Amino acid sequence: MMEGVAGVCVVGLGQIGGSLLRAAADAGHQVWGAAQSTADAAAAVADGFHVLPSVEDAVGRASDEDALVVMAVPLPSIPDVLHKINELATTVRLSDVVSVKAPVADMVHRYAPRTRYVGGHPMTGTEGSGWRSGSAETFRKTAWVLTVDKGTDVVVWADFARLAIECGSHVVPTSATEHDLAVARISHLPHILAAVLASAGVEGGALALALAAGSFIDGTRVAAGAPELVRAMCEGNRDALLEAMDDALGRLGAARGSLASTGGLRATIDSGHWARRELEQLRTALTETYPIDLRSTEALDSLRELGQVGGRITEISEMTATASSY
Amino acid sequence: MMEGVAGVCVVGLGQIGGSLLRAAADAGHQVWGAAQSTADAAAAVADGFHVLPSVEDAVGRASDEDALVVMAVPLPSIPDVLHKINELATTVRLSDVVSVKAPVADMVHRYAPRTRYVGGHPMTGTEGSGWRSGSAETFRKTAWVLTVDKGTDVVVWADFARLAIECGSHVVPTSATEHDLAVARISHLPHILAAVLASAGVEGGALALALAAGSFIDGTRVAAGAPELVRAMCEGNRDALLEAMDDALGRLGAARGSLASTGGLRATIDSGHWARRELEQLRTALTETYPIDLRSTEALDSLRELGQVGGRITEISEMTATASSY
């Protein structure tokens, strides 16, 4: 692939897929898409994008032109897309934007085993859904996970990393399993707690809702998201999410016990405050920058270790990645 | 009191007290304050406000000038302030901004029983603290609770309601007990869940924090607030908060059980989504407007009923209040 000129084929033109189509086009790629949703397809066409009549057409063209293919559909739709890719674009360079990575990797292994797959997860999005809720700016200054596992083709990894960086993201390399454990805690658990909080608030009646201010509005924001998408995301990461929910249940139960027995909440509130400061400090810490040679035999290990310590890739030039760490 | 010209004395010049001093001054009141914190006092003076050397001086002047007194100190400091008011401004018109109302009413009854007290709670504020985190805009388009209980002097209630409206708020009338039950669910529980979520996220390590995006950042925002203030607020509403926490524990446990046994989260996610929509609809619903004659013998009942259905007072002219309901 010549940098900046590869074709990009996006299957699924909802918020994330639609944002990717726009951002990749802005970055100078030839882009085309396909969507199950006729509303999304029509909206993309109305905005001047090239939408092929079927997934088959879109991935067939990707095979002809050796384009990058990104599956931007919910987890339950992935097998169907993979069957088509296996048939019409058997060895294509393939990624996705699904919020769990081990289950998608398993599906790829089963249904399209010869594709050159790199799992992807842009950590962005709003509670909206559909083409109209997307924008080319969706990825700017956000993390985009690209998985690094045994058997990952580092050249293909670099191709998708360049695309993510062109869209405005920095790239976080991590294994599929580590990704799933992490997002259970910082993405799926927040959705569960938002739902619990919203329901507990409504139980307080009209007065409670009339008094709801910042803490409740922020804490329930993601409960506004399309329930079927939230469910697919959370249910798809069941094992890791169960572990995170047990952790939350333990902490909430301990707080309840402390308040009931001693009247105090110091451990809960102080621990949460300290944790939030950790988050803020990690985000504002000065970074150390160093190169990772992607041609090296240790490249995959170096990338995975970078992700483990909260680091990121901010640039890829030829096969040298610029790593930022704390 | 002549409208718009009464003096306003604010005890405590942190975020809310400092915001009130500014907003009341902008509305044309003579304002003065006092603060335990020398930093807040100095900052207020530097911004051109009149700060007396002690709480005694401030409330003494309020007594001389028949000013409105607002206690803007945390719950644990209320008894001390009340002792001074009882001595130096025995029958003054008094309110507060503490986030629980029944405990403050009990303290007033015990320590300053002859004051003409109306419990207050502006539903606003950010995770900052201190004078410098306040602004005259803090109250704009927010709910300001003023309690309506047996023995409430409706004339004094109207005085504080006018002040709240002048500051940009709408006034929600409710009993102290109903207030405390409602805020346990929409203000105190969100703080507990934010602390639990922040701690559970940090447990996921640097990778998890590096991937944290909107849902985690929004869901933990209030954990950034000063822990001693959050604790004072939550611990001060112990009984109502325990009930809300039990509700949340039950819902979270049910979600956990459902995910573990069936793999599904439909009830949790759908219920949360529906609840969040209720919140949004309540906030955008068209309102019905009608007058409440505050001279009527049923005025207190009418106000309390308005609060129960999520309504508010948006204007007070002489002794006629304009009520907005859904």
Side-chain angles (χ1 to χ4, degrees):
Chain A
M1 167 177 130
M2 288 176 55
E3 284 183 49
V5 297
V8 173
C9 165
V10 181
V11 177
L13 298 174
Q15 182 180 88
I16 300 296
S19 296
L20 175 55
L21 205 70
R22 295 171 174 104
D26 283 0
H29 292 272
Q30 281 258 13
V31 302
W32 63 93
Q36 282 287 340
S37 157
T38 51
D40 285 340
V45 169
D47 284 351
F49 287 89
H50 192 43
V51 179
L52 297 187
S54 71
V55 174
E56 287 85 343
D57 291 328
V59 301
R61 176 173 165 189
S63 180
D64 294 344
E65 303 187 16
D66 194 24
L68 298 172
V69 176
V70 179
M71 301 182 286
V73 299
L75 183 63
S77 303
I78 290 286
D80 183 52
V81 175
L82 285 173
H83 283 303
K84 291 169 180 165
I85 289 173
N86 190 48
E87 192 170 330
L88 299 161
T90 315
T91 62
V92 83
R93 289 173 292 176
L94 179 65
S95 189
D96 70 304
V97 301
V98 176
S99 67
V100 287
K101 299 274 55 80
V104 177
D106 290 345
M107 290 172 179
V108 171
H109 186 70
R110 186 181 308 180
Y111 301 121
R114 294 183 59 207
T115 56
R116 290 167 287 160
Y117 172 71
V118 173
H121 183 200
M123 307 300 298
T124 184
T126 69
E127 62 272 28
S129 56
W131 171 273
R132 298 225 179 274
S133 69
S135 111
E137 301 303 306
T138 296
F139 306 103
R140 200 148 297 282
K141 293 176 189 282
T142 64
W144 188 318
V145 169
L146 289 175
T147 56
V148 178
D149 278 296
K150 204 158 42 167
T152 297
D153 180 334
V154 73
V155 174
V156 176
W157 192 93
D159 292 337
F160 282 110
R162 277 186 210 99
L163 176 63
I165 291 167
E166 286 167 352
C167 291
S169 289
H170 53 266
V171 174
V172 176
T174 177
S175 72
T177 305
E178 287 171 307
H179 166 275
D180 291 354
L181 288 169
V183 296
R185 289 177 181 272
I186 55 82
S187 174
H188 304 161
L189 181 61
H191 281 83
I192 302 289
L193 292 183
V196 165
L197 178 59
S199 298
V202 157
E203 193 71 24
L207 173 64
L209 294 186
L211 297 185
S215 63
F216 188 78
I217 290 166
D218 284 0
T220 61
R221 183 181 62 83
V222 293
E228 59 281 7
L229 295 185
V230 173
R231 280 179 53 211
M233 179 175 83
C234 293
E235 292 169 2
N237 197 18
R238 176 173 166 172
D239 292 342
L241 180 54
L242 281 173
E243 191 181 312
M245 288 170 80
D246 283 339
D247 187 3
L249 275 166
R251 290 175 194 277
L252 186 56
R256 198 270 177 220
S258 173
L259 182 61
S261 61
T262 71
L265 286 165
R266 181 188 290 275
T268 301
I269 301 298
D270 284 2
S271 161
H273 184 69
W274 175 83
R276 171 77 193 193
R277 284 176 60 97
E278 280 285 300
L279 174 72
E280 285 164 10
Q281 278 167 12
L282 187 72
R283 283 170 178 257
T284 55
L286 288 175
T287 55
E288 177 201 346
T289 300
Y290 61 93
I292 294 178
D293 180 358
L294 297 179
R295 292 186 209 83
S296 146
T297 52
E298 287 107 49
L300 293 182
D301 289 338
S302 300
L303 288 171
R304 196 158 41 221
E305 283 158 20
L306 176 70
Q308 280 167 345
V309 299
R312 55 175 67 171
I313 300 294
T314 56
E315 200 184 327
I316 295 191
S317 175
E318 303 286 328
M319 283 298 278
T320 301
T322 303
S324 283
S325 186
Y326 299 96
Chain B
M1 166 178 131
M2 286 174 58
E3 283 182 50
V5 297
V8 174
C9 165
V10 181
V11 178
L13 298 174
Q15 183 181 89
I16 300 297
S19 296
L20 175 55
L21 205 70
R22 295 171 174 103
D26 283 0
H29 292 274
Q30 281 259 11
V31 302
W32 63 93
Q36 282 286 340
S37 158
T38 50
D40 285 341
V45 169
D47 283 351
F49 287 89
H50 192 44
V51 180
L52 297 187
S54 71
V55 174
E56 286 85 343
D57 290 328
V59 302
R61 178 174 164 190
S63 181
D64 294 345
E65 302 186 17
D66 194 24
L68 299 172
V69 176
V70 179
M71 301 181 288
V73 299
L75 183 63
S77 303
I78 290 286
D80 182 54
V81 174
L82 285 173
H83 283 302
K84 291 167 180 164
I85 288 172
N86 190 48
E87 191 170 329
L88 298 161
T90 315
T91 62
V92 82
R93 290 173 292 176
L94 179 65
S95 188
D96 70 304
V97 300
V98 175
S99 65
V100 288
K101 298 275 55 80
V104 177
D106 290 345
M107 289 171 180
V108 171
H109 186 70
R110 186 181 310 179
Y111 301 123
R114 294 183 59 208
T115 56
R116 289 166 288 161
Y117 172 71
V118 173
H121 183 199
M123 305 300 297
T124 183
T126 69
E127 61 274 28
S129 56
W131 171 272
R132 298 224 178 274
S133 69
S135 112
E137 300 303 306
T138 295
F139 307 101
R140 199 148 298 281
K141 294 178 189 283
T142 64
W144 188 317
V145 168
L146 288 175
T147 57
V148 179
D149 279 296
K150 201 155 50 164
T152 297
D153 180 333
V154 73
V155 175
V156 177
W157 192 93
D159 292 337
F160 283 109
R162 277 185 211 100
L163 176 62
I165 291 165
E166 286 166 352
C167 290
S169 289
H170 53 264
V171 174
V172 176
T174 176
S175 72
T177 304
E178 286 171 308
H179 166 274
D180 291 354
L181 288 169
V183 295
R185 289 176 180 272
I186 54 82
S187 174
H188 304 161
L189 181 61
H191 280 84
I192 302 289
L193 292 183
V196 165
L197 178 59
S199 298
V202 157
E203 192 73 21
L207 173 65
L209 295 186
L211 297 185
S215 64
F216 188 78
I217 290 167
D218 285 1
T220 60
R221 182 180 63 81
V222 292
E228 60 280 8
L229 296 185
V230 174
R231 280 179 52 212
M233 179 176 83
C234 292
E235 292 169 3
N237 198 18
R238 176 173 166 171
D239 292 342
L241 180 54
L242 281 173
E243 190 180 313
M245 288 171 80
D246 283 340
D247 187 2
L249 275 165
R251 291 174 193 276
L252 186 55
R256 199 270 176 218
S258 173
L259 183 60
S261 61
T262 71
L265 286 164
R266 181 188 290 274
T268 301
I269 301 299
D270 284 1
S271 160
H273 184 70
W274 175 83
R276 170 78 193 195
R277 283 175 61 95
E278 280 284 300
L279 174 72
E280 285 163 12
Q281 279 167 10
L282 188 71
R283 284 170 177 257
T284 54
L286 288 175
T287 55
E288 176 201 348
T289 300
Y290 61 91
I292 294 179
D293 180 358
L294 297 178
R295 291 185 209 83
S296 146
T297 53
E298 288 107 47
L300 292 182
D301 289 337
S302 301
L303 289 171
R304 196 158 41 221
E305 283 158 20
L306 176 69
Q308 280 166 345
V309 299
R312 54 176 65 169
I313 300 293
T314 57
E315 200 185 327
I316 295 192
S317 176
E318 303 286 327
M319 284 297 279
T320 301
T322 304
S324 282
S325 188
Y326 300 95

